[in-house]
Amino acid sequence: MENKKKFALLAGAAVLLIAAGFGGWRYWKSHQAVQVERLALDGESSQKTIAGIMNREYGNKHYNREEDCWNIEHGNRTYCMKPLSLDRVRVDGEDRFYLLAGGYLWESSHADSDGLVGAFVFKADGSEPIASVRALAYDSVGGAMPGNVKLLQLTRSGQMGWLIQGGGDLNGGYSYREPHLFMPKDGKIIDAAGDLIGAQGQAQVALDFDYHADASKTDAEYYPMLLTVRDEAKKEVASYRFQFDRSKWKYVCGDKTCGERGSLPQDDEDANGEPMDSDDGDAPADPPANANAALFSDGTELSAADLKDVLAAVKATFVVKDSQTWGFVTAECVKPFPLSAEVVKGNEDNHNMLWLEGGNSCTSGNTEHSIWLFIRGEDGHLRANLGLPAKQATVTNDANEGYNDIRLSGNGFCEAVWRWDGKQYAHLKNIATQPGGCGGE
């Protein structure tokens, strides 16, 4: 009888140990696994969370009830910020909210080139944000809001990042979808997309660019980023691998194919640029000896420092591939495109102001041409004071503080007027050249 009691006691103890072990495993598991849940924006709890953070960041007095967004002034333009995604992320047993907001311009045209996002990471208990930014600008033709937003886990410890593809679809007038990866860093949010590539040109607009972090075969702190490109039939046409460079805090090419795009379809005419042949039917002329010679047809030469400032501002490099194919390239636009420069009259001796123009569909969207105005700052450096897709710049008779207004045209039936505000050129207004232009009826 006594043995039976001992056995029962031992069995009971074993059950308790198993239960305790299982409970401990569940506790450990809940504190180790990173769990991500996309929340519905129209849910009652979500709306309360969104209103709390948006009112705190933008001010409840700036809430536009009719449009259900928050107004913010950025770059002398008015954007209205709307929530795009809300995710609950559990890390080490603690819930965090990841909220991404996108801004749209009240008045916009294809000449606009800045999109705007607000990004916030904060604890679910309502305490101060872990990381946040109210207004982060990124390249977006027409200032369009991002489309779909994807939240990716980038490290085992739960570092997350929002991936968007700026631009839009061809039906919306854009055929470029450049990726941006917004990541928290030291309490702020930065774009860490680096070398990530997206769709360029009409030949690629129907392709699906699927990005995902690969946690399967790496011991690195940050997961590699894999990109799989599929056609309309869901057939894979290309794949690329990128790795995180902590020193740059960006994703960079993980293999030699990143910058080649050789497996992707290209537009028949000038997907990323065109060979620059001579105007006559004779043999092509020799390529320019250097970037100065390529930019200036009148023999003007910028100093090494000025030339560096100009090319760095447009992220371009002069290349010669062969006697017929030369020009400028960027990390995204790898086929040479033309650029030309002209010193503003009256600045021939000091080169304090100069125009730069050129590009193609890769650099400038459907306009296929951009215009920049460089002005020397007080620190002695040339800076792009104005730069956006346009066909023509007209200096008007209207002026402010000695600087004439500039009127940009070539983006449909809408022209943009830019005025000097005392420090820089800022957008003043749009002028419709035909009924319906500038988004009018």
Side-chain angles (χ1 to χ4, degrees):
M1 185 71 177
E2 189 172 339
N3 289 335
K4 290 183 177 180
K5 289 182 178 179
K6 289 181 178 179
F7 180 78
L9 289 172
L10 289 171
V15 170
L16 288 174
L17 286 171
I18 293 172
F22 181 71
W25 178 84
R26 290 187 62 185
Y27 178 84
W28 176 86
K29 187 69 174 177
S30 69
H31 281 66
Q32 293 295 317
V34 177
Q35 303 167 350
V36 183
E37 179 186 6
R38 174 61 55 94
L39 303 177
L41 295 176
D42 58 358
E44 182 178 350
S45 177
S46 295
Q47 289 188 338
K48 183 178 179 180
T49 299
I50 291 169
I53 193 65
M54 296 291 281
N55 283 332
R56 182 168 67 187
E57 295 295 332
Y58 298 107
N60 55 10
K61 67 179 181 180
H62 296 295
Y63 176 63
N64 185 319
R65 186 176 301 276
E66 183 177 350
E67 298 293 331
D68 191 23
C69 63
W70 282 258
N71 288 335
I72 179 176
E73 298 294 322
H74 179 77
N76 297 312
R77 310 296 303 280
T78 300
Y79 289 82
C80 209
M81 308 299 290
K82 297 179 74 73
L84 299 179
S85 69
L86 179 65
D87 296 88
R88 181 190 289 116
V89 179
R90 169 157 286 198
V91 180
D92 292 333
E94 176 186 81
D95 283 347
R96 302 173 182 176
F97 286 115
Y98 281 71
L99 172 65
L100 188 74
Y104 68 88
L105 285 164
W106 284 110
E107 295 182 0
S108 65
S109 74
H110 292 317
D112 295 307
S113 58
D114 278 351
L116 199 68
V117 296
F120 312 97
V121 184
F122 53 98
K123 295 181 180 180
D125 61 11
S127 58
E128 289 298 311
I130 298 170
S132 66
V133 63
R134 297 174 68 248
L136 179 60
Y138 65 96
D139 293 337
S140 178
V141 178
M145 291 175 64
N148 61 327
V149 178
K150 194 174 182 179
L151 188 67
L152 300 176
Q153 181 181 343
L154 303 175
T155 71
R156 287 187 174 82
S157 61
Q159 171 76 293
M160 312 296 291
W162 291 276
L163 192 142
I164 69 169
Q165 295 185 59
D169 59 27
L170 189 60
N171 292 331
Y174 318 125
S175 52
Y176 298 88
R177 301 191 306 277
E178 291 302 326
H180 299 272
L181 181 64
F182 302 124
M183 289 174 54
K185 183 180 187 294
D186 300 331
K188 300 179 180 180
I189 308 291
I190 65 172
D191 188 355
D195 293 338
L196 298 186
I197 61 177
Q200 294 185 2
Q202 297 183 21
Q204 298 178 17
V205 73
L207 298 179
D208 176 38
F209 284 67
D210 179 26
Y211 308 85
H212 61 279
D214 182 18
S216 62
K217 297 179 180 180
T218 181
D219 294 326
E221 179 185 5
Y222 284 81
Y223 300 147
M225 186 74 68
L226 301 183
L227 167 61
T228 303
V229 185
R230 298 181 178 88
D231 61 17
E232 292 180 281
K234 305 302 180 184
K235 179 182 177 182
E236 181 177 324
V237 296
S239 63
Y240 305 92
R241 182 179 180 275
F242 308 86
Q243 61 191 24
F244 190 74
D245 186 329
R246 191 177 178 86
S247 65
K248 298 179 179 179
W249 207 261
K250 293 182 182 296
Y251 274 91
V252 299
C253 286
D255 57 51
K256 65 179 182 179
T257 65
C258 290
E260 294 180 355
R261 295 175 171 264
S263 301
L264 298 180
Q266 303 289 328
D267 291 344
D268 292 337
E269 297 181 2
D270 295 343
N272 292 321
E274 64 177 77
M276 300 175 65
D277 298 324
S278 58
D279 293 333
D280 55 26
D282 300 326
D286 291 335
N290 51 46
N292 262 318
L295 289 174
F296 295 95
S297 59
D298 60 0
T300 297
E301 288 193 7
L302 298 179
S303 68
D306 285 351
L307 183 62
K308 181 179 179 181
D309 286 342
V310 169
L311 295 183
V314 296
K315 301 177 181 179
T317 303
F318 177 65
V319 298
V320 176
K321 294 192 173 183
D322 56 50
S323 62
Q324 300 184 55
T325 307
W326 52 269
F328 295 84
V329 298
T330 68
E332 295 79 19
C333 304
V334 297
K335 289 189 178 179
F337 55 85
L339 286 176
S340 62
E342 179 183 1
V343 176
V344 175
K345 187 176 181 179
N347 294 268
E348 291 84 359
D349 294 334
N350 51 36
H351 299 162
N352 284 342
M353 295 180 67
L354 64 91
W355 292 102
L356 179 71
E357 61 178 295
N360 55 35
S361 58
C362 177
T363 64
S364 314
N366 289 342
T367 308
E368 299 184 337
H369 189 272
S370 291
I371 296 177
W372 297 265
L373 175 62
F374 284 82
I375 300 177
R376 194 178 304 280
E378 294 181 356
D379 60 358
H381 288 281
L382 284 172
R383 285 186 169 81
N385 197 274
L386 178 70
L388 63 165
K391 288 288 189 184
Q392 181 177 349
T394 302
V395 179
T396 73
N397 292 325
D398 297 322
N400 184 44
E401 298 186 17
Y403 289 82
N404 293 75
D405 289 357
I406 297 172
R407 186 162 173 165
L408 299 176
S409 58
N411 291 287
F413 303 119
C414 184
E415 297 186 353
V417 178
W418 291 69
R419 171 165 291 178
W420 184 258
D421 67 2
K423 296 181 178 179
Q424 62 184 1
Y425 273 97
H427 182 269
L428 176 66
K429 61 183 177 180
N430 290 333
I431 300 175
T433 57
Q434 288 192 20
C438 303
E441 298 296 331

